Amino acid sequence: MPASSSLLHQRLAAELARREAAGTRRRLPAPPAPGLVDFSSNDYLGLSRHPRVLAAGQQAAQLPAGSTGSRLLTGNSQAAEALETQLAHFHGAEAALLFNSGYAANLGFFGAVPRRGDTILYDEASHASVKDGIRATPATAWSFRHNDLADLEHKATRATGAVFVAVEALYSMDGDVAPLPELAALCQRLGLHLVVDEAHTNGLYGPRGEGLVAALGLENAVFARILTFGKALGSQGAAVAGSALLRDYLLNFSRPFIYTTALPPVTVASLAAAYALLPDLQTAREQLFQLSDYLKATLNAVPGLHVPAGSHVIHPVFFTQNPGPAAVRALAAAAQTAGFDVRPIVAPTVPAGTERLRLIVHSFNTEAEIDALASELLAVSC
Ligand SMILES: Cc1ncc(COP(=O)(O)O)c(C=O)c1O
C-alpha cells in the first residue's frame, strides 16, 4: 500500500474513533431475526409481501433483470411511462417523473429547480435528502423553525427570486404532521412555491391512499410533491409529481434522473400492482390509525416513557430522564431479544440529548403485540 494511502487510512480511522468516543458510531445491524414483531420497518401496509404485488414482480421476472440504461438512453419502457401516467392520475397531478429513490428525487428536485438568486426556505426537521439537494444548488437556503409559520413568514420577507418552501407532510423522526392548509394559504398569499415530501403519507392518507396533499384537496396549491415508494408502497423508487412543464424540465436538468440506470422492470411492475391495490386498502389504513392511537395511549401509561400527543404512525418514545445513546441502544437490544423489532435512533441522526426509540405501527400489528411490547419496555426500563 502506498504511504499516502496509509496516511489517509489513519485519518479515516481517527474520524471513526471520534464517533466511537462520542457514542455515535454507526454499524450495520444484524438483519432482523425471523419472527420478530415488526415495529420498525416502513412497510406500513405489508405491501412488500402482498401476493398480488409479488405475482406482478414474478411475471416481470421474465423480462430483463435490469433496465439496461438511463431513461434517456435504453432504460425507458412503456411500463415506466404507463406507471408515470398512473401516478399522475392517482395523485391528481398533471404529470409525474420516476426517480430511483426518494433520496434521488429530493436531490434531483432541489439540485435542479432552484437557481442562483432564488431562495429555499426549509423546515429545520427536513430529511437529509432535502438538505443534500439544497447543497447541490447555488440558491440561497435558510431553515425555519419546525412547523413555525411565523418564522417562515418572517424569513420569506427577506427572500429573493423564486422562493421555495420545503416541508414534509409527516416528519420521519417525530411522526408529526405539517400544517399543510395553513402553509398552502401562506404560500399562496406570498407567492411562494410549496414542495411537499410525502414519503410517510403516500399510500396512507386520503380515502384511496393518495397522500395528505390530495386528502386535503391541496393538489393545486403545491408546486411539487415528492412521492416515495420504499415505505407504504413496500417497494423502491420515487416520483416527483407536478406540472408537465416541471416533468420536462427535470428530465432535461436533473442529474440524479439523467445520469443513472433506470428502475428495473420488476420494480416498475410491482409498483403498478401496489398502486392498483391502494384504493382497496381503506380498512387496513383505518386499522393502522386505530392501532397508532392505541400504541400512544398504551406506552404513555408506562412510567418513565413519553410519546408525544401529535405523533402519527411513527412514534418517538422518549424517556423522562434521558439515559444517553448507549442505554437507548441497550433498551432496543433487550426488546429485540424479547421478540420485538424495535430500533434506537441516536445522534447524529437526531440531535444529541433527544435519543429515542422509534416505533412504527403497521396495519398488520395487533393490540396484543402492543400490550406485550409495553410490558417488555416497562420491565427493561425500570
Ligand atoms: C421524509 C423522507 N424523504 C425522503 C426519504 C428517502 O426516501 P428513499 O428511502 O426512497 O430514498 C426518506 C427516507 O427515509 C424520508 O423519510
Side-chain angles (χ1 to χ4, degrees), residues 42 100-104 106 127 129-130 168 170-172 197-200 226 228-231 236-238 358:
N42 292 316
N100 288 357
S101 67
Y103 185 89
N106 272 323
H127 191 258
S129 53
V130 171
E168 284 170 33
L170 191 152
Y171 285 87
S172 59
D197 182 332
E198 292 238 42
H200 294 280
I226 313 297
T228 78
F229 310 142
K231 304 183 195 303
Q236 180 78 33
R358 186 174 71 148

Side-chain angles (χ1 to χ4, degrees), residues 84-351:
E84 287 172 336
T85 305
Q86 183 184 3
L87 291 173
H89 182 71
F90 183 79
H91 290 287
E94 200 175 286
L97 186 69
L98 289 171
F99 283 79
N100 288 357
S101 67
Y103 185 89
N106 272 323
L107 205 64
F109 178 89
F110 288 103
V113 181
R115 304 313 304 148
R116 191 176 301 286
D118 292 343
T119 311
I120 306 167
L121 303 172
Y122 63 98
D123 191 291
E124 64 186 354
S126 291
H127 191 258
S129 53
V130 171
K131 293 179 179 161
D132 288 0
I134 287 171
R135 280 194 203 143
T137 163
T140 303
W142 298 317
S143 66
F144 59 92
R145 281 195 295 272
H146 180 50
N147 276 347
D148 186 334
L149 270 74
D151 192 36
L152 168 61
E153 181 159 1
H154 174 66
K155 290 190 169 134
T157 57
R158 292 188 287 128
T160 58
V163 183
F164 298 86
V165 173
V167 299
E168 284 170 33
L170 191 152
Y171 285 87
S172 59
M173 287 300 143
D174 288 322
D176 55 335
V177 292
L180 287 181
E182 293 81 1
L183 277 163
L186 178 72
C187 289
Q188 225 145 15
R189 179 161 59 83
L190 300 181
L192 319 177
H193 305 287
L194 184 58
V195 182
V196 183
D197 182 332
E198 292 238 42
H200 294 280
T201 45
N202 186 24
L204 295 186
Y205 283 77
R208 296 182 304 127
E210 316 89 312
L212 193 52
V213 167
L216 295 167
L218 296 173
E219 296 95 322
N220 295 326
V222 298
F223 182 73
R225 275 171 279 171
I226 313 297
L227 304 158
T228 78
F229 310 142
K231 304 183 195 303
L233 273 297
S235 181
Q236 180 78 33
V240 176
S243 67
L245 184 73
L246 174 65
R247 178 178 185 275
D248 197 13
Y249 180 88
L250 287 172
L251 74 81
N252 274 276
F253 294 101
S254 179
R255 298 171 73 83
F257 174 82
I258 300 165
Y259 296 107
T260 194
T261 301
L263 288 172
V266 64
T267 303
V268 172
S270 308
L271 283 168
Y275 260 93
L277 274 169
L278 279 186
D280 299 333
L281 299 179
Q282 190 55 7
T283 309
R285 282 187 281 273
E286 280 164 13
Q287 203 159 325
L288 172 70
F289 289 116
Q290 267 167 25
L291 284 169
S292 196
D293 287 342
Y294 186 79
L295 179 137
K296 245 187 313 194
T298 308
L299 289 194
N300 272 327
V302 175
L305 301 186
H306 169 62
V307 183
S311 66
H312 305 267
V313 189
I314 299 171
H315 301 282
V317 182
F318 295 105
F319 302 88
T320 320
Q321 286 183 332
N322 186 297
V328 174
R329 281 201 183 97
L331 223 95
Q336 285 167 21
T337 306
F340 304 96
D341 191 350
V342 168
R343 305 294 169 106
I345 306 285
V346 298
T349 304
V350 291

